[in-house]
Amino acid sequence: MASETEERWKRLAALGVRSESRSESPTPEGEARMSAVILQLAEPLLKQHGKTPQRVEAIIMLTIAAWNKSMFPPDKQPLIEKDLINSFVPKDGNAEDVGVALEIMDTMVERREKLFPDLHKIIVDYKCTISGGRLTLEVSSAPIPKLA
């Protein structure tokens, strides 16, 4: 049976991440930590809507999905977005749920392009923990060439 890491890389390879990008390594000195980047992107939504742990986790999940989607060329993003929505919104979900998810992702992509236009990493995995009212986010990422 394949390990979680191997399965993760198979999924990423299907999205076009090259195998030489497989180095999940510590953040180089002077470079933004991806956990801090995601929290900065999500901050306005977390402040406004993060009233419950479930909402916080949903905002973080959508922010990460938007980040990864934005790493692909614009012509590939609608397909990535469709796959993401299919995995986030239950089959019996309504159009409003889809609309909210798309709006959040679009907002996060705009913020990413404004705040971190030159940071090209794909988020491989993450763990969001909320304990005692404190949010901890751990992110594994890998470099990805700019796919424009």
Side-chain angles (χ1 to χ4, degrees):
M1 183 170 176
S3 72
E4 285 183 36
T5 301
E6 290 169 338
E7 289 298 322
R8 196 170 47 218
W9 282 107
K10 284 180 186 176
R11 289 192 305 271
L12 289 169
L15 293 173
V17 176
R18 298 187 327 220
S19 61
E20 60 265 23
S21 299
R22 288 183 67 144
S23 58
E24 290 178 67
S25 58
T27 303
E29 190 173 325
E31 188 174 296
R33 293 182 49 86
M34 288 305 295
S35 56
V37 167
I38 294 302
L39 290 173
Q40 184 176 346
L41 287 178
E43 182 180 21
L45 287 174
L46 290 170
K47 282 183 177 178
Q48 186 174 4
H49 301 289
K51 308 293 186 236
T52 66
Q54 295 80 10
R55 284 186 177 186
V56 168
E57 289 181 34
I59 291 166
I60 295 295
M61 177 184 64
L62 287 169
T63 301
I64 289 171
W67 178 277
N68 281 348
K69 176 187 110 169
S70 72
M71 291 295 111
F72 291 89
D75 64 318
K76 298 225 186 291
Q77 289 183 17
L79 180 61
I80 301 292
E81 188 174 83
K82 181 180 179 205
D83 288 344
L84 291 168
I85 293 301
N86 287 339
S87 68
F88 295 150
V89 180
K91 296 286 184 220
D92 60 349
N94 63 40
E96 185 177 348
D97 294 339
V98 173
V100 168
L102 290 172
E103 184 177 342
I104 290 171
M105 286 177 36
D106 288 346
T107 299
M108 293 301 104
V109 168
E110 288 173 15
R111 285 182 56 77
R112 188 208 67 81
E113 289 170 353
K114 179 182 174 189
L115 298 172
F116 304 101
D118 298 323
L119 185 54
H120 299 285
K121 287 186 171 185
I122 193 151
I123 296 174
V124 178
D125 200 7
Y126 73 98
K127 181 179 178 185
C128 182
T129 307
I130 303 167
S131 178
R134 183 178 167 96
L135 168 63
T136 303
L137 181 62
E138 299 171 38
V139 174
S140 297
S141 62
I144 185 170
K146 187 171 182 180
L147 303 171

